[in-house]
Amino acid sequence: EEEEEEEEEEEEEKTGNTRSMGIDDGDANTASPSASATTEEKEKEKEKEKKKKKSPADWTKEEIREQAKKAIMGNLTKEEEEERSRRNKDLLPSDKNLGFMTIEEKYDFARKYKDAGNVFFKEGRYEFAIKNYTETITYLRHGLRMGETDENGVPYGARATGLDDEAKAIIASCCSNMAACALKLSRYEEVIKHATSALDQDIKGGAKAKVLFRRSKAKHSLGKIEEAYSDISEAKKIDEGDKAIQAHYNVVVKLYRDIKKQELEAQKTLW
């Protein structure tokens, strides 16, 4: 699915259909009330702010249940989650319970579960894909070697660094793909989070270039031009032949040079 996305990104750059660097319109809702607002409106605004800043320790039972539900369901409705579960069963037929699989079979299952997420991505079901990738990561981090111990008798789940290279590679792929999904959904902060998590797995080569490209796209859309330039410059050094990377670089480098030019002009006025 990554090749298909590159073509879309390249076309987007060619046509100049880039995202706005300005603040998202949704931020307007958090603005403070005008001077003419009534006392009641001000109180309501204060109450909203309190709810935003409330720590988990102060959550009501209803809020705790809501957070638990979100952790399980993600951004899916009950009906969507049921559909996703049915689709996964069709895509992942298995005659053996996970508890009776060998470690090789468990890795194979994790890869296939991730690949089912790729199928959802190609269909444009990005929330379905994100949920599959998230569950794959959770399984690799916490369920893959449950009950097993290392040569010293220490449970793998209790070790600070209990991930094999194979697990890291699958997790990196899942994080990269989640960044791609979030980019499609214009959730740029999530793109940055997932891309950074992928880079934390020490990925190299073309896979690293793709992740840097996605993170640069998100930072560009958020108006973080210098950070976007840093990422896309590194991606370009890794994979100079990637057309989508080159096209995005051409957009960002112009904005970056404009910023540096303005800074230089500002410095001259100080003298």
Side-chain angles (χ1 to χ4, degrees):
E1 94 281 355
E2 291 179 340
E3 291 180 1
E4 292 178 3
E5 184 191 347
E6 284 177 9
E7 293 174 2
E8 292 175 13
E9 299 291 359
E10 182 184 349
E11 184 62 28
E12 197 172 89
E13 298 291 356
K14 283 180 181 177
T15 57
N17 184 23
T18 53
R19 302 285 182 185
S20 168
M21 294 186 301
I23 297 173
D24 191 277
D25 290 339
D27 287 356
N29 294 329
T30 62
S32 58
S34 64
S36 61
T38 64
T39 304
E40 185 179 347
E41 288 173 335
K42 288 181 180 179
E43 288 301 320
K44 284 182 180 179
E45 194 68 28
K46 286 181 182 178
E47 193 62 33
K48 284 182 183 178
E49 289 300 319
K50 281 183 183 178
K51 287 182 180 179
K52 286 181 185 176
K53 295 176 183 177
K54 187 186 286 188
S55 70
D58 298 324
W59 287 349
T60 65
K61 288 183 179 180
E62 186 58 38
E63 287 171 329
I64 292 172
R65 279 194 288 268
E66 190 63 32
Q67 290 298 319
K69 180 182 175 183
K70 184 170 178 57
I72 295 170
M73 303 291 288
N75 291 317
L76 301 178
T77 64
K78 181 181 177 182
E79 292 73 20
E80 288 172 333
E81 176 58 19
E82 288 173 352
E83 181 188 349
R84 187 188 71 93
S85 296
R86 285 196 303 271
R87 292 287 307 282
N88 274 323
K89 286 178 182 177
D90 293 338
L91 292 166
L92 292 158
S94 178
D95 299 326
K96 192 182 287 188
N97 185 286
L98 284 172
F100 295 97
M101 289 182 181
T102 64
I103 189 65
E104 290 78 15
E105 289 172 329
K106 288 178 179 178
Y107 273 126
D108 187 55
F109 179 83
R111 281 190 292 269
K112 287 179 178 177
Y113 203 79
K114 183 207 73 161
D115 290 343
N118 294 351
V119 172
F120 294 141
F121 181 94
K122 289 176 181 177
E123 294 175 355
R125 309 295 294 273
Y126 303 123
E127 295 292 0
F128 280 32
I130 288 172
K131 193 77 190 299
N132 264 52
Y133 299 139
T134 301
E135 289 179 347
T136 300
I137 292 172
T138 300
Y139 174 65
L140 289 169
R141 288 192 184 282
H142 306 292
L144 183 67
R145 311 199 72 158
M146 190 175 292
E148 294 185 42
T149 58
D150 63 15
E151 64 275 9
N152 298 314
V154 178
Y156 278 100
R159 299 194 314 181
T161 53
L163 291 175
D164 299 327
D165 289 340
E166 178 74 6
K168 286 183 178 179
I170 299 172
I171 287 173
S173 180
C174 285
C175 290
S176 176
N177 290 347
M178 283 196 287
C181 290
L183 197 57
K184 292 289 188 182
L185 296 167
S186 302
R187 300 206 298 247
Y188 303 119
E189 294 292 353
E190 287 184 29
V191 176
I192 294 170
K193 181 184 77 172
H194 295 315
T196 301
S197 294
L199 293 169
D200 287 343
Q201 305 304 316
D202 298 323
I203 55 175
K204 294 177 174 59
K208 183 176 182 179
K210 274 189 179 70
V211 172
L212 287 166
F213 165 74
R214 288 166 182 163
R215 193 168 72 172
S216 178
K217 290 278 286 184
K219 289 178 176 179
H220 170 223
S221 296
L222 292 171
K224 299 178 179 180
I225 304 304
E226 292 180 86
E227 293 180 27
Y229 174 74
S230 176
D231 279 349
I232 200 61
S233 296
E234 187 177 352
K236 187 172 178 290
K237 287 178 184 176
I238 296 170
D239 192 347
E240 293 184 357
D242 189 292
K243 293 180 180 179
I245 288 175
Q246 183 62 54
H248 181 58
Y249 174 84
N250 292 341
V251 172
V252 174
V253 72
K254 183 180 182 302
L255 295 170
Y256 177 77
R257 287 171 179 167
D258 287 344
I259 288 173
K260 292 304 171 184
K261 184 179 178 181
Q262 290 169 13
E263 288 178 354
L264 186 61
E265 292 297 325
Q267 287 174 2
K268 286 180 181 179
T269 60
L270 294 176
W271 296 98

